[in-house]
Amino acid sequence: MRQIKLSFLCVVLCISGMYAQDNKNASGTGPQQAAGAVKSDDNRFEVSKQLDIFNALIKEMEMFYVDTVDIKKTIRRGIDAMLKGLDPYTEYIPEDEMEQFKFLTTGEYGGIGAYIRFREGGTVITEPFEGMPAAEAGLKAGDMIVAVDTVDATGLSSDKVSELLKGVPNTKMTLKVQRPGEKKTRSFDVVRKQVVVDQVTHYGVYNDNTGYICLKSFTDKSAQEVKTAFEKMKKDHRIESLILDLRDNGGGLLEGAVQIVNLFVPKGKEVLTMKGRVSQWDRTYRTYNEPIDTVMPIVVLINGASASASEIVSGALQDMDRAVLAGQRSFGKGLVQSTRNLPYDGKLKVTTNKYYIPSGRCIQQLDYSHRNPDGSVAAIPDSLTSVFYTENGRPVRDGGGIRPDIEIEEEKIPTMLYYLYADKDYILFDYITDWVSKHKTIPPAEDFVYTDEDYESFKKQMIAKNFEYDRQSGKALDALKEVAEFEGFTGEDSTLFIALEEKLKPNLERDLERYKKDIKRLISSEIVKRYYFQRGEIKHNLRDDDTFKKALDVLKDSDLYNKTLNPAPEEKVAFYRPSKSTSETKPV
């Protein structure tokens, strides 16, 4: 019954905004007041009616369904399905998931500092964090957790193992692990601590005077980390320009984004305005601190996985003409979520607002309130987007994310790499674990080279293990063939399909050679991470990063930088500012 009550409350909370708006509309006089009151009464009646139906349905199912019903799981599926029908960001967070939710917003938790993942036979450590208890104790990627203190962990899921590993900081535990290639197990004494995951995963100086900061997420500490990195590079290396890398940064706390913008623009500047159904929650965010630098040239890197808070930072700096943006168009999430308390210590994370950056534009790409008949959501076509203007009069558009000032074509990643990385048999993971066990040290991250000789050895292993992978082109051809046969287009002549099938048939030896460059790059990156953690992985990957190289070139060419932000008068559109109207792994 507790779960049934909880589901009712979730339903009520999802429509509470509707009540607030109805009451607001009903506050007038005359016919409008009467109409608003009738609408509000109708809504309340409909809610009561649907909850009565739902309550009766649960009771009947629990009493009479042929098999025993897990009420908790059944209602959780109902809650998830209900919220999924709104948008991907509105979700229910029960009490037992609050620790993970806290980690996403603070980057902190009590544990050993590592990612774990379940594989056949048990749970393995896939990545220890630099400077955290797991790494300091000597645990390595590939170690299978056999026991936690006196608890046998061999048959437990990664969720259960995670619960055993997390705990109060400064408490001690003994981990027994099976290291690949060894017959005897090893024991490690590990002291839990408050694990703080750095959001600035790497910063450094390139081309003598250009600072680089890679930020992977926005928590309540992100702005301070960016500030610390910037000030250290400015003091120690006298940097004259900055690259802020927000690629693959999916966002986080809105306040963190505002604080980072505040580091580079004057106090009192408008960063964004939030508008939603409940007007009392509308809010404008302005910079409220003195900045650390307002003149240093900045290039912000973005791509298709830069979303939410990343788009606030990049979009605001673009609208203020404070930075040049380079890379690919961002994800296009212009929605804001707030949390609402629920009974039994749960929370509802619900979309409450759209945000509008300084030019007045909202960059939300998908309209979840208008779905296609099949339930899908279409992106807003470029032809239907509107033009807005930066402070210098440069045209920018709403909808469809943030478009970079300098667009660099994204390198296409072969499908085979996805299968290698997500392989359930861990062939690539085990190969790297074995390679690392035979090489005690490697050169610095930026100098390491994975040789052709090593790659030939890898190819032999893959062929010997008969690595299986699929190809999307083959699946598409099968679907086309089925439709063509159904509609009678193939007739007796199927030679075209036979030829295409032969051409698209996976050929392991051929594809390992065809995608050699990409696979070598993946292996090289994963090897470096084993020795130098995420920081080293980023340093290593920057060597072959075309977007990063372009950013360095832009910052080296002051004329290009200034022209991008201040186009010649004949290249500008007449300045006009529209009104801002609404229109798998687990950390342990």
Side-chain angles (χ1 to χ4, degrees):
M1 290 302 296
R2 289 172 58 177
Q3 292 297 325
I4 296 172
K5 283 177 63 181
L6 180 57
S7 68
F8 292 167
L9 285 159
C10 283
V11 173
V12 172
L13 279 167
C14 282
I15 60 174
S16 61
M18 177 173 62
Y19 283 163
Q21 188 66 27
D22 288 337
N23 288 334
K24 178 185 174 187
N25 291 339
S27 62
T29 58
Q32 287 184 336
Q33 180 182 13
V38 170
K39 181 180 179 182
S40 180
D41 289 343
D42 287 346
N43 285 339
R44 289 192 176 97
F45 170 75
E46 192 63 31
V47 170
S48 297
K49 173 184 173 182
Q50 296 304 324
L51 290 180
D52 283 345
I53 293 171
F54 188 75
N55 183 32
L57 187 151
I58 291 293
K59 286 180 178 179
E60 295 294 318
M61 181 182 65
E62 196 275 334
M63 291 178 64
F64 298 114
Y65 186 71
V66 63
D67 295 320
T68 302
V69 177
D70 187 322
I71 293 296
K72 181 178 179 180
K73 288 184 178 179
T74 300
I75 294 184
R76 178 61 192 272
R77 284 198 303 270
I79 292 172
D80 290 345
M82 173 182 67
L83 299 183
K84 186 178 179 181
L86 301 176
D87 63 50
Y89 316 112
T90 297
E91 58 183 324
Y92 165 54
I93 307 163
E95 180 184 9
D96 57 4
E97 295 177 16
M98 286 305 300
E99 190 69 25
Q100 176 68 10
F101 179 71
K102 180 183 176 183
F103 168 66
L104 293 174
T105 56
T106 66
E108 293 185 10
Y109 63 95
I112 67 171
Y115 285 128
I116 60 173
R117 183 178 171 189
F118 184 82
R119 65 179 295 180
E120 187 177 358
T123 297
V124 297
I125 294 173
T126 57
E127 183 183 342
F129 302 160
E130 184 174 11
M132 292 294 112
E136 291 180 343
L139 291 163
K140 296 183 178 181
D143 289 345
M144 181 171 287
I145 300 172
V146 176
V148 181
D149 288 328
T150 59
V151 180
D152 183 359
T154 51
L156 299 181
S157 68
S158 57
D159 286 330
K160 294 295 184 182
V161 175
S162 178
E163 291 176 11
L164 294 172
L165 295 175
K166 289 180 178 178
V168 179
N170 299 319
T171 55
K172 183 179 178 181
M173 76 179 106
T174 300
L175 288 186
K176 184 183 291 185
V177 304
Q178 181 66 60
R179 182 155 291 175
E182 298 181 0
K183 293 182 179 180
K184 293 184 178 180
T185 59
R186 295 191 182 204
S187 292
F188 296 86
D189 291 329
V190 184
V191 179
R192 298 181 183 92
K193 67 182 291 188
Q194 188 71 10
V195 177
V196 181
V197 179
D198 292 336
Q199 303 309 307
V200 172
T201 48
H202 168 57
Y203 68 91
V205 179
Y206 295 83
N207 278 9
D208 297 328
N209 60 6
T210 297
Y212 169 86
I213 298 175
C214 180
L215 182 69
K216 74 172 183 179
S217 186
F218 288 82
T219 68
D220 54 357
K221 301 173 185 63
S222 295
Q224 184 58 50
E225 289 186 38
V226 171
K227 180 181 179 181
T228 299
F230 179 85
E231 290 182 333
K232 182 171 178 57
M233 291 188 293
K234 194 170 183 179
K235 177 183 177 182
D236 295 347
H237 302 280
R238 300 184 182 278
I239 59 170
E240 298 176 2
S241 56
L242 176 68
I243 296 172
L244 178 60
D245 194 343
L246 300 181
R247 291 174 297 177
D248 301 317
N249 183 325
L253 295 183
L254 181 150
E255 289 81 359
V258 175
Q259 291 167 10
I260 288 176
V261 173
N262 196 167
L263 296 176
F264 304 109
V265 301
K267 181 179 179 180
K269 296 280 284 186
E270 182 180 316
V271 178
L272 80 153
T273 297
M274 296 194 324
K275 293 181 181 291
R277 189 171 187 181
V278 182
S279 60
Q280 293 92 327
W281 293 354
D282 291 353
R283 181 178 174 185
T284 295
Y285 288 81
R286 297 180 181 275
T287 55
Y288 49 85
N289 292 323
E290 292 299 331
I292 57 176
D293 191 291
T294 60
V295 296
M296 180 180 290
I298 300 174
V299 172
V300 179
L301 309 184
I302 58 173
N303 65 5
S306 303
S308 192
S310 292
E311 295 174 296
I312 292 174
V313 171
S314 56
L317 293 178
Q318 184 182 53
D319 283 357
M320 298 178 194
D321 298 299
R322 179 63 186 91
V324 170
L325 272 53
Q328 298 85 41
R329 186 189 296 197
S330 65
F331 181 79
K333 180 177 182 285
L335 305 175
V336 179
Q337 285 71 48
S338 303
T339 56
R340 308 288 295 170
N341 293 328
L342 295 177
Y344 307 107
D345 299 319
K347 285 186 182 293
L348 173 69
K349 182 163 72 73
V350 56
T351 300
T352 53
N353 302 83
K354 291 181 179 179
Y355 69 80
Y356 300 80
I357 49 181
S359 64
R361 55 182 169 146
C362 176
I363 52 86
Q364 175 63 23
Q365 180 171 212
L366 301 176
D367 183 1
Y368 294 102
S369 63
H370 297 89
R371 293 178 178 267
N372 298 321
D374 63 356
S376 62
V377 184
I380 300 171
D382 289 347
S383 59
L384 296 182
T385 59
S386 301
V387 176
F388 293 76
Y389 298 92
T390 70
E391 289 186 0
N392 288 344
R394 296 186 298 140
V396 289
R397 288 188 170 272
D398 65 354
I402 303 293
R403 296 162 176 82
D405 304 304
I406 299 173
E407 190 155 2
I408 293 132
E409 186 176 354
E410 188 170 19
E411 189 174 355
K412 290 182 172 61
I413 300 175
T415 307
M416 188 178 191
L417 264 67
Y418 291 107
Y419 287 99
L420 275 171
Y421 200 80
D423 174 35
K424 66 181 186 301
D425 294 323
Y426 283 73
I427 294 177
L428 176 62
F429 184 86
D430 289 343
Y431 167 80
I432 293 171
T433 299
D434 181 63
W435 192 100
V436 170
S437 71
K438 296 173 182 176
H439 299 78
K440 300 305 178 186
T441 61
I442 63 171
E446 56 269 38
D447 299 327
F448 173 71
V449 175
Y450 179 68
T451 67
D452 286 341
E453 290 76 17
D454 282 331
Y455 185 71
E456 288 303 314
S457 174
F458 170 74
K459 280 175 57 178
K460 290 177 182 178
Q461 286 193 35
M462 296 293 286
I463 293 168
K465 293 179 181 292
N466 193 27
F467 173 67
E468 293 185 359
Y469 62 102
D470 206 347
R471 296 182 60 172
Q472 297 304 312
S473 54
K475 288 184 177 181
L477 178 62
D478 290 341
L480 175 61
K481 184 179 179 181
E482 186 176 338
V483 172
E485 288 176 348
F486 177 77
E487 295 183 346
F489 288 119
T490 54
E492 297 180 358
D493 185 10
S494 59
T495 55
L496 179 59
F497 279 105
I498 293 173
L500 278 171
E501 283 175 348
E502 190 62 32
K503 188 176 183 62
L504 297 176
K505 187 180 298 182
N507 183 315
L508 182 57
E509 189 168 359
R510 177 198 66 196
D511 290 343
L512 285 171
E513 191 59 36
R514 174 182 292 175
Y515 304 123
K516 176 179 177 178
K517 178 183 175 182
D518 299 292
I519 297 173
K520 280 187 64 179
R521 189 182 301 173
L522 172 63
I523 294 174
S524 181
S525 176
E526 290 297 309
I527 287 175
V528 167
K529 185 161 63 174
R530 298 289 184 97
Y531 294 90
Y532 300 112
F533 305 96
Q534 288 187 18
R535 172 177 51 84
E537 179 188 21
I538 294 169
K539 291 173 68 175
H540 178 74
N541 291 341
L542 287 177
R543 294 187 316 184
D544 302 315
D545 190 328
D546 291 338
T547 303
F548 172 70
K549 292 176 181 177
K550 182 63 176 179
L552 289 174
D553 291 341
V554 170
L555 290 170
K556 189 188 299 183
D557 187 342
S558 58
D559 289 340
L560 173 59
Y561 180 85
N562 291 325
K563 183 180 178 182
T564 303
L565 296 180
N566 298 278
E570 62 271 14
E571 296 175 355
K572 289 186 181 181
V573 180
F575 178 76
Y576 168 70
R577 183 181 295 274
S579 61
K580 296 171 184 176
S581 59
T582 54
S583 58
E584 263 240 26
T585 53
K586 301 180 182 299
V588 294

